[in-house]
Amino acid sequence: MWNGIIEQYRKFLPVTDKTPVVTLKEGNTPLLFACHLSKLMGDGIEVYLKCEGLNPTGSFKDRGMTLTISKALEEGSKAVMCASTGNTSASASCYSARAGIESIVLIPEGAIALGKLSQALIHGSKVIAIKGNFDEALTLVKEITRKHPITLVNSINPYRIEGQKTGSFEICDALGDAPDFHAIPVGNAGNMTAYWKGYKEYKAHGISKILPKMLGFQAAGSAPIVLRHPVKDPKTIATAIKIGNPASWKQAEAARDESGGLIDMVSDDEILAAYKLLAAKEGVFAEPASAASVAGILKLAKQGFFNERRTTNDERRIRIVCVLTGHGLKDPDRAIACAEKLKVLEPRIDLVLKEIGL
Ligand SMILES: *Cc1c(COP(=O)(O)O)cnc(C)c1O
């Protein structure tokens, strides 16, 4: 039976027998072979989708939050606080509710997807919208939690990274080894940092043999790491990665450089094309930010990136894992805006038959 990431990977995590485990049995998410996408990528390339939208609150944030809230409870904390583009607040409010502690979330006004906002509100968080962006919200939260007895639960909290690294353990467990490439959207860059840490630990323990090259993707209007300077007014439809000054900037660069990978950017059009392709061809509904990983590998494939890295005597297939970080239902407005306009007809058989071309 699966009892959540803390029970499953206890020996890799900073917990003791005394740690009260606050869990909704997160993790154990599907790693799906992407048939259509693999064909698009070219001969000998296998693409897998790590469907993190199937976590309890619909995003990978739950992996970090189960540990972060458990440790906050162990340390006697009565309240937690975060700034959020949406999913951190959804997860923090849910796990705090389960733990019986108070949560406060700061969100950028008008820049958070409907599903995420509904989660923070229904779980009973104190939700405050600020007339500013995520980076400004995070600055406020850092200041407040430094001066008051409130635990900060953004990914600068090291327990977030520790919990999130279990995603790479699950991928290695499923594939029998690490993949050759690991593609991931980059916002605050905590998740890229976490996956790289997880891959290194599994290899150090002799459980996996290889390390993947880490491929991070930012949205073009919000690509500080690619541009090598903070972006004051980040813009993208992928609200979960709309971040102009990532907290784990240096760590993401280290993951890129140590692994021999890269951090690139993809346009909103490329993100939306990948978003639709995932839903229409793979049957996987992920949120727009998640699709950045798929948009990224499609862009690289077009440039011949993967073929250049194939040596002539390497008959082995290239395996790429894309992390689909959050569920598509988080942002229903985007799905509806992207789809064809809904037809409304009188309830008459002739009209319906005509509409479907019969
Ligand atoms: C938080 C989030 C990201 C970005 O992750 P970082 O660790 O901030 O880089 C990407 N996609 C989704 C759906 C998220 O919720």
Side-chain angles (χ1 to χ4, degrees), residues 300-313:
L300 293 182
K302 251 184 231 149
Q303 298 167 351
F305 175 89
F306 297 103
N307 284 329
E308 281 165 19
R309 275 154 189 80
R310 197 197 299 271
T311 58
T312 43
N313 56 6

PDB file of all heavy atoms in Angstrom, residues 300-313:
ATOM      1  N   LEU A 300      13.771  21.811 -29.229  1.00  0.00           N
ATOM      2  CA  LEU A 300      15.135  21.274 -29.339  1.00  0.00           C
ATOM      3  C   LEU A 300      15.226  20.209 -30.434  1.00  0.00           C
ATOM      4  O   LEU A 300      16.222  20.143 -31.162  1.00  0.00           O
ATOM      5  CB  LEU A 300      15.599  20.686 -28.004  1.00  0.00           C
ATOM      6  CG  LEU A 300      15.808  21.673 -26.846  1.00  0.00           C
ATOM      7  CD1 LEU A 300      16.323  20.932 -25.617  1.00  0.00           C
ATOM      8  CD2 LEU A 300      16.780  22.789 -27.217  1.00  0.00           C
ATOM      9  N   ALA A 301      14.191  19.365 -30.536  1.00  0.00           N
ATOM     10  CA  ALA A 301      14.205  18.305 -31.549  1.00  0.00           C
ATOM     11  C   ALA A 301      14.274  18.908 -32.947  1.00  0.00           C
ATOM     12  O   ALA A 301      14.987  18.423 -33.818  1.00  0.00           O
ATOM     13  CB  ALA A 301      12.980  17.413 -31.406  1.00  0.00           C
ATOM     14  N   LYS A 302      13.524  19.993 -33.154  1.00  0.00           N
ATOM     15  CA  LYS A 302      13.522  20.679 -34.453  1.00  0.00           C
ATOM     16  C   LYS A 302      14.915  21.182 -34.809  1.00  0.00           C
ATOM     17  O   LYS A 302      15.293  21.245 -35.964  1.00  0.00           O
ATOM     18  CB  LYS A 302      12.544  21.855 -34.411  1.00  0.00           C
ATOM     19  CG  LYS A 302      11.292  21.619 -35.243  1.00  0.00           C
ATOM     20  CD  LYS A 302      10.399  22.851 -35.261  1.00  0.00           C
ATOM     21  CE  LYS A 302       8.982  22.466 -34.887  1.00  0.00           C
ATOM     22  NZ  LYS A 302       8.256  23.531 -34.188  1.00  0.00           N
ATOM     23  N   GLN A 303      15.667  21.556 -33.782  1.00  0.00           N
ATOM     24  CA  GLN A 303      17.026  22.068 -34.014  1.00  0.00           C
ATOM     25  C   GLN A 303      18.040  20.928 -34.143  1.00  0.00           C
ATOM     26  O   GLN A 303      19.234  21.176 -34.254  1.00  0.00           O
ATOM     27  CB  GLN A 303      17.444  22.981 -32.853  1.00  0.00           C
ATOM     28  CG  GLN A 303      16.568  24.211 -32.684  1.00  0.00           C
ATOM     29  CD  GLN A 303      16.806  24.931 -31.354  1.00  0.00           C
ATOM     30  OE1 GLN A 303      17.503  24.425 -30.471  1.00  0.00           O
ATOM     31  NE2 GLN A 303      16.217  26.106 -31.203  1.00  0.00           N
ATOM     32  N   GLY A 304      17.573  19.677 -34.057  1.00  0.00           N
ATOM     33  CA  GLY A 304      18.487  18.535 -34.170  1.00  0.00           C
ATOM     34  C   GLY A 304      19.270  18.241 -32.905  1.00  0.00           C
ATOM     35  O   GLY A 304      20.222  17.453 -32.910  1.00  0.00           O
ATOM     36  N   PHE A 305      18.864  18.850 -31.821  1.00  0.00           N
ATOM     37  CA  PHE A 305      19.589  18.739 -30.547  1.00  0.00           C
ATOM     38  C   PHE A 305      19.813  17.290 -30.113  1.00  0.00           C
ATOM     39  O   PHE A 305      20.913  16.916 -29.729  1.00  0.00           O
ATOM     40  CB  PHE A 305      18.800  19.498 -29.473  1.00  0.00           C
ATOM     41  CG  PHE A 305      19.333  19.389 -28.076  1.00  0.00           C
ATOM     42  CD1 PHE A 305      20.275  20.296 -27.605  1.00  0.00           C
ATOM     43  CD2 PHE A 305      18.890  18.400 -27.209  1.00  0.00           C
ATOM     44  CE1 PHE A 305      20.754  20.210 -26.303  1.00  0.00           C
ATOM     45  CE2 PHE A 305      19.368  18.299 -25.902  1.00  0.00           C
ATOM     46  CZ  PHE A 305      20.301  19.215 -25.456  1.00  0.00           C
ATOM     47  N   PHE A 306      18.770  16.462 -30.192  1.00  0.00           N
ATOM     48  CA  PHE A 306      18.895  15.098 -29.652  1.00  0.00           C
ATOM     49  C   PHE A 306      19.712  14.202 -30.582  1.00  0.00           C
ATOM     50  O   PHE A 306      20.474  13.363 -30.126  1.00  0.00           O
ATOM     51  CB  PHE A 306      17.514  14.507 -29.358  1.00  0.00           C
ATOM     52  CG  PHE A 306      16.792  15.280 -28.292  1.00  0.00           C
ATOM     53  CD1 PHE A 306      15.771  16.160 -28.609  1.00  0.00           C
ATOM     54  CD2 PHE A 306      17.169  15.152 -26.951  1.00  0.00           C
ATOM     55  CE1 PHE A 306      15.125  16.901 -27.621  1.00  0.00           C
ATOM     56  CE2 PHE A 306      16.526  15.891 -25.962  1.00  0.00           C
ATOM     57  CZ  PHE A 306      15.500  16.771 -26.299  1.00  0.00           C
ATOM     58  N   ASN A 307      19.582  14.396 -31.885  1.00  0.00           N
ATOM     59  CA  ASN A 307      20.367  13.595 -32.833  1.00  0.00           C
ATOM     60  C   ASN A 307      21.856  13.886 -32.734  1.00  0.00           C
ATOM     61  O   ASN A 307      22.676  12.993 -32.849  1.00  0.00           O
ATOM     62  CB  ASN A 307      19.870  13.818 -34.263  1.00  0.00           C
ATOM     63  CG  ASN A 307      18.576  13.068 -34.508  1.00  0.00           C
ATOM     64  OD1 ASN A 307      18.355  11.999 -33.911  1.00  0.00           O
ATOM     65  ND2 ASN A 307      17.715  13.606 -35.342  1.00  0.00           N
ATOM     66  N   GLU A 308      22.180  15.142 -32.514  1.00  0.00           N
ATOM     67  CA  GLU A 308      23.596  15.502 -32.358  1.00  0.00           C
ATOM     68  C   GLU A 308      24.226  14.798 -31.175  1.00  0.00           C
ATOM     69  O   GLU A 308      25.428  14.588 -31.127  1.00  0.00           O
ATOM     70  CB  GLU A 308      23.726  17.021 -32.120  1.00  0.00           C
ATOM     71  CG  GLU A 308      23.602  17.848 -33.375  1.00  0.00           C
ATOM     72  CD  GLU A 308      23.360  19.322 -33.055  1.00  0.00           C
ATOM     73  OE1 GLU A 308      23.637  19.758 -31.924  1.00  0.00           O
ATOM     74  OE2 GLU A 308      22.867  20.025 -33.963  1.00  0.00           O
ATOM     75  N   ARG A 309      23.374  14.475 -30.185  1.00  0.00           N
ATOM     76  CA  ARG A 309      23.906  13.854 -28.986  1.00  0.00           C
ATOM     77  C   ARG A 309      23.886  12.330 -29.041  1.00  0.00           C
ATOM     78  O   ARG A 309      24.127  11.657 -28.077  1.00  0.00           O
ATOM     79  CB  ARG A 309      23.146  14.367 -27.765  1.00  0.00           C
ATOM     80  CG  ARG A 309      23.759  15.665 -27.300  1.00  0.00           C
ATOM     81  CD  ARG A 309      22.786  16.541 -26.570  1.00  0.00           C
ATOM     82  NE  ARG A 309      23.404  17.847 -26.361  1.00  0.00           N
ATOM     83  CZ  ARG A 309      23.470  18.796 -27.291  1.00  0.00           C
ATOM     84  NH1 ARG A 309      22.978  18.584 -28.486  1.00  0.00           N
ATOM     85  NH2 ARG A 309      24.060  19.951 -27.019  1.00  0.00           N
ATOM     86  N   ARG A 310      23.554  11.810 -30.198  1.00  0.00           N
ATOM     87  CA  ARG A 310      23.507  10.360 -30.361  1.00  0.00           C
ATOM     88  C   ARG A 310      24.809   9.939 -31.041  1.00  0.00           C
ATOM     89  O   ARG A 310      25.140  10.396 -32.113  1.00  0.00           O
ATOM     90  CB  ARG A 310      22.323  10.026 -31.263  1.00  0.00           C
ATOM     91  CG  ARG A 310      21.889   8.586 -31.221  1.00  0.00           C
ATOM     92  CD  ARG A 310      21.038   8.321 -32.433  1.00  0.00           C
ATOM     93  NE  ARG A 310      19.832   9.124 -32.500  1.00  0.00           N
ATOM     94  CZ  ARG A 310      18.664   8.766 -31.963  1.00  0.00           C
ATOM     95  NH1 ARG A 310      18.559   7.647 -31.307  1.00  0.00           N
ATOM     96  NH2 ARG A 310      17.611   9.525 -32.102  1.00  0.00           N
ATOM     97  N   THR A 311      25.560   9.039 -30.414  1.00  0.00           N
ATOM     98  CA  THR A 311      26.791   8.585 -31.058  1.00  0.00           C
ATOM     99  C   THR A 311      26.429   7.412 -31.961  1.00  0.00           C
ATOM    100  O   THR A 311      25.452   6.715 -31.730  1.00  0.00           O
ATOM    101  CB  THR A 311      27.832   8.141 -30.004  1.00  0.00           C
ATOM    102  OG1 THR A 311      27.241   7.109 -29.224  1.00  0.00           O
ATOM    103  CG2 THR A 311      28.237   9.286 -29.128  1.00  0.00           C
ATOM    104  N   THR A 312      27.221   7.201 -33.021  1.00  0.00           N
ATOM    105  CA  THR A 312      26.867   6.186 -34.021  1.00  0.00           C
ATOM    106  C   THR A 312      26.808   4.782 -33.433  1.00  0.00           C
ATOM    107  O   THR A 312      26.030   3.957 -33.862  1.00  0.00           O
ATOM    108  CB  THR A 312      27.872   6.192 -35.199  1.00  0.00           C
ATOM    109  OG1 THR A 312      29.170   6.305 -34.639  1.00  0.00           O
ATOM    110  CG2 THR A 312      27.573   7.320 -36.146  1.00  0.00           C
ATOM    111  N   ASN A 313      27.633   4.512 -32.416  1.00  0.00           N
ATOM    112  CA  ASN A 313      27.627   3.153 -31.862  1.00  0.00           C
ATOM    113  C   ASN A 313      26.660   3.026 -30.671  1.00  0.00           C
ATOM    114  O   ASN A 313      26.666   2.031 -29.979  1.00  0.00           O
ATOM    115  CB  ASN A 313      29.042   2.713 -31.457  1.00  0.00           C
ATOM    116  CG  ASN A 313      29.666   3.697 -30.483  1.00  0.00           C
ATOM    117  OD1 ASN A 313      28.998   4.621 -30.039  1.00  0.00           O
ATOM    118  ND2 ASN A 313      30.928   3.502 -30.164  1.00  0.00           N
TER     119      ASN A 313
END
